[in-house]
Amino acid sequence: MSDNTLLSTDAIRERALSALRRVGITAPEGTGLTARTPITGRPLFELAATTAEQAEQAVTAAQTAFRTWRTTPAPVRGELVRRLGDLLREHKDDLADLITVEVGKIRSEALGEIQEMIDICDFAVGLSRQLYGRTIASERPGHRLAETWHPLGVVGVISAFNFPAAVWSWNTAIALVCGDTVVWKPSELTPLISLACSHLLDRAAVEADAPREVHRLLLGNRGIGEKLVDDPRVALISATGSTRMGREIGPRVAARFGRSLLELGGNNASIVAPSADLELALHGIVFAAAGTAGQRCTTLRRLIVQRDLADEVVDRLTAAYRKLPIGDPFADGTLVGPLITAAAAEGMRHALARAEAEGGKVLVGGGRRLADEAPDAAYVEPALVRMPEQTAVVREETFAPILYVLTYDDFDEAIALNNAVPQGLSSSVFTRDQQEAERFVAADGSDCGISNVNIGTSGAEIGGAFGGEKETGGGRESGSDAWRAYMRRATTTVNYSSRLTLAQNVSFL
């Protein structure tokens, strides 16, 4: 399908500034950080970066605010998050504009990200009245044994470019109702949406009569994030990014006995079994593999198809890939926008070359689009690659729209292929065989944190805990009981008798 005509960089700049004005802020002009757009690959304007001294002051302010915020009743803390959710609803279109400007997401995906933020605010408001502990049966007469959850402290959030607002909201909405304060260091590629979100939370704090210092924003490069990682006053570091980043952050936080919540790489697979509804599978596969231009941590990167079905599935996917509309993410009908940087496109080209060297065949895609119209941007055709086996390149995560197709003979082999990678985030199976479906989600099935049946690997709801195993880091964010990562547990024994009875029948004095 033909590409769309791109907006000019000047038009994109004005769209971004207009969205910021409607949110209520003027971009802090200065030096140290460049706002740019992947739509044209060009810079928009310069921004003031956070200095080391300002980062120190932000943590100090958050630590001071925590002393008050931790004793504020949780339902009152929930009112701050409720007001944030209202403001997100009010400015949903403006925030979606900023995400498209800075990330290149198509309109429906950008709006979907803001809806995800609204949803987590609703969830967190309800959670503010459900931070339950428990009473435990004591072995001693006249004693009560209980478990209570208390606020943890300052939470440092380090977020990635691909979900620049949603991941922040997962952490921040939950942390705030848990009684923590937050210092946020977003990706340097997405300062505008970060400024907008932070401003709305500041406004919510004023309107909810909460301390403004419960949240602080740091704009800058890696060095600013490292200050959060190494600061002993930051009780929890929640970091989203690459496995390489996690390998650096985890040991540094552990060395100071801090906590870390890591959401790292994904190399997600879907199995297509003989009984699968192929039309349903096709829709799930194409969205999971090509949506967000392959730049989700849950993007489908490996397709494991029963051998007898492989040719038909590949033919249907090839036809679908040839029709994918690639171009301006603001334009109606576009399904695939740009990669975030030219470096990402180079990584894709390198991975495809390796795949061919390892015996693979590129069936469709892999080429560049809009090179004349936007020479500094990175528009690529999602690629479908038939592989003879799960080679070295297939076992690695390339953050681009490459889908490797593998085959299997029996279901045990399919599960083994799914699990035989270092990452363990998301997985799925397409089958109408109940035995296969149940086996896939059983203890000896998929080893991933997310295991889906008859749906793709992308598109998680906020109600479930989000995260994965192995090199994905083991963290859990968003729903279910993920809130416990943001609190500390206290076990309490109350003796309301007139005797001091020791546990385990110990006798002393």
Side-chain angles (χ1 to χ4, degrees):
M1 188 172 289
S2 61
D3 303 326
N4 298 299
T5 301
L6 298 175
L7 291 174
S8 69
T9 301
D10 287 343
I12 296 168
R13 181 183 298 112
E14 183 52 41
R15 189 156 187 165
L17 291 172
S18 295
L20 290 170
R21 284 193 294 267
R22 288 191 296 270
V23 169
I25 59 175
T26 302
E29 295 183 7
T31 59
L33 196 62
T34 302
R36 63 177 295 278
T37 178
I39 298 174
T40 63
R42 301 294 297 162
L44 299 174
F45 40 80
E46 293 294 311
L47 299 170
T50 301
T51 65
E53 182 181 2
Q54 289 170 331
E56 168 74 20
Q57 292 169 350
V59 176
T60 299
Q63 184 185 40
T64 300
F66 171 68
R67 298 190 185 106
T68 301
W69 193 239
R70 66 185 172 183
T71 56
T72 301
V76 177
R77 300 193 297 248
E79 288 303 308
L80 168 60
V81 177
R82 184 194 303 277
R83 183 59 188 140
L84 173 61
D86 292 342
L87 292 172
L88 294 175
R89 286 179 172 89
E90 182 180 336
H91 292 284
K92 184 175 181 179
D93 287 343
D94 302 322
L95 298 173
D97 272 1
L98 293 172
I99 286 176
T100 297
V101 165
E102 291 193 293
V103 182
K105 286 188 179 182
I106 63 173
R107 188 67 178 167
S108 68
E109 289 193 275
L111 288 167
E113 178 163 355
I114 308 307
Q115 186 60 51
E116 193 168 334
M117 301 172 72
I118 294 167
D119 293 344
I120 197 65
C121 285
D122 288 349
F123 180 91
V125 172
L127 179 65
S128 69
R129 293 181 181 270
Q130 299 178 78
L131 299 172
Y132 299 140
R134 67 180 70 187
T135 300
I136 305 166
S138 174
E139 66 184 67
R140 291 171 282 185
H143 286 62
R144 178 171 61 84
L145 187 59
E147 184 178 271
T148 311
W149 294 87
H150 297 298
L152 181 63
V154 179
V155 173
V157 177
I158 300 174
S159 58
F161 79 87
N162 58 332
F163 277 86
V167 170
W168 166 76
S169 70
W170 293 354
N171 286 276
T172 301
I174 302 299
L176 289 175
V177 300
C178 286
D180 302 327
T181 56
V182 176
V183 181
W184 179 26
K185 193 280 178 191
S187 167
E188 55 266 41
L189 299 175
T190 55
L192 303 183
I193 183 62
S194 307
L195 283 165
C197 291
S198 182
H199 173 78
L200 291 179
L201 182 49
D202 285 348
R203 179 178 159 187
V206 171
E207 295 175 2
D209 197 26
R212 186 173 176 179
E213 292 76 16
V214 296
H215 181 264
R216 277 288 174 260
L217 173 66
L218 310 179
L219 293 180
N221 57 21
R222 170 178 170 155
I224 292 296
E226 289 178 336
K227 289 193 173 297
L228 283 181
V229 169
D230 295 331
D231 195 321
R233 297 173 298 173
V234 179
L236 170 68
I237 289 290
S238 178
T240 302
S242 67
T243 297
R244 176 197 56 77
M245 179 200 73
R247 283 200 175 98
E248 295 181 17
I249 288 177
R252 288 170 68 164
V253 176
R256 61 175 178 83
F257 296 100
R259 296 191 194 179
S260 59
L261 192 166
L262 301 176
E263 296 286 359
L264 309 175
N267 191 355
N268 315 295
S270 286
I271 297 170
V272 182
S275 65
D277 179 334
L278 291 188
E279 192 64 28
L280 182 148
L282 181 72
H283 285 284
I285 291 164
V286 174
F287 168 68
T292 325
Q295 297 172 118
R296 291 185 178 221
C297 52
T298 54
T299 289
L300 178 61
R301 309 202 182 279
R302 298 175 296 134
L303 188 64
I304 303 168
V305 188
Q306 205 280 333
R307 191 176 304 277
D308 295 338
L309 288 177
D311 289 343
E312 180 182 359
V313 170
V314 163
D315 288 346
R316 295 177 70 167
L317 283 173
T318 300
Y321 267 50
R322 292 191 191 281
K323 296 176 182 178
L324 286 173
I326 302 167
D328 181 1
F330 276 117
D332 292 339
T334 297
L335 293 182
V336 181
L339 291 178
I340 190 68
T341 62
E346 180 58 32
M348 179 176 178
R349 286 192 291 271
H350 180 65
L352 290 174
R354 284 184 60 195
E356 290 183 316
E358 293 172 9
K361 181 180 180 181
V362 179
L363 304 174
V364 64
R368 185 177 177 186
R369 294 281 188 91
L370 297 165
D372 293 334
E373 296 88 339
D376 298 311
Y379 291 87
V380 298
E381 299 166 343
L384 188 67
V385 186
R386 190 80 177 258
M387 295 298 295
E389 58 182 333
Q390 194 151 264
T391 63
V393 71
V394 179
R395 287 168 47 82
E396 298 175 10
E397 179 189 37
T398 300
F399 219 60
I402 302 175
L403 180 58
Y404 300 109
V405 181
L406 306 164
T407 57
Y408 76 92
D409 292 306
D410 65 76
F411 200 66
D412 283 346
E413 181 187 359
I415 290 177
L417 284 169
N418 176 82
N419 295 349
V421 294
Q423 311 84 359
L425 178 54
S426 188
S427 59
S428 77
V429 63
F430 291 94
T431 181
R432 286 178 288 192
D433 183 317
Q434 184 179 5
Q435 188 175 34
E436 288 180 333
E438 294 294 337
R439 169 69 198 291
F440 184 74
V441 300
D444 58 348
S446 170
D447 65 359
C448 297
I450 299 170
S451 302
N452 296 331
V453 177
N454 290 326
I455 191 171
T457 56
S458 285
E461 300 178 34
I462 60 93
F466 180 92
E469 302 301 322
K470 301 187 292 189
E471 289 189 1
T472 302
R476 292 296 185 275
E477 295 172 327
S478 195
S480 185
D481 65 348
W483 59 270
R484 295 185 177 192
Y486 304 87
M487 304 196 82
R488 63 179 180 85
R489 186 193 318 240
T491 301
T492 303
T493 302
V494 177
N495 178 8
Y496 58 88
S497 75
S498 58
R499 296 181 58 197
L500 183 63
T501 304
L502 299 180
Q504 295 87 44
N505 296 316
V506 171
S507 178
F508 195 84
L509 292 182

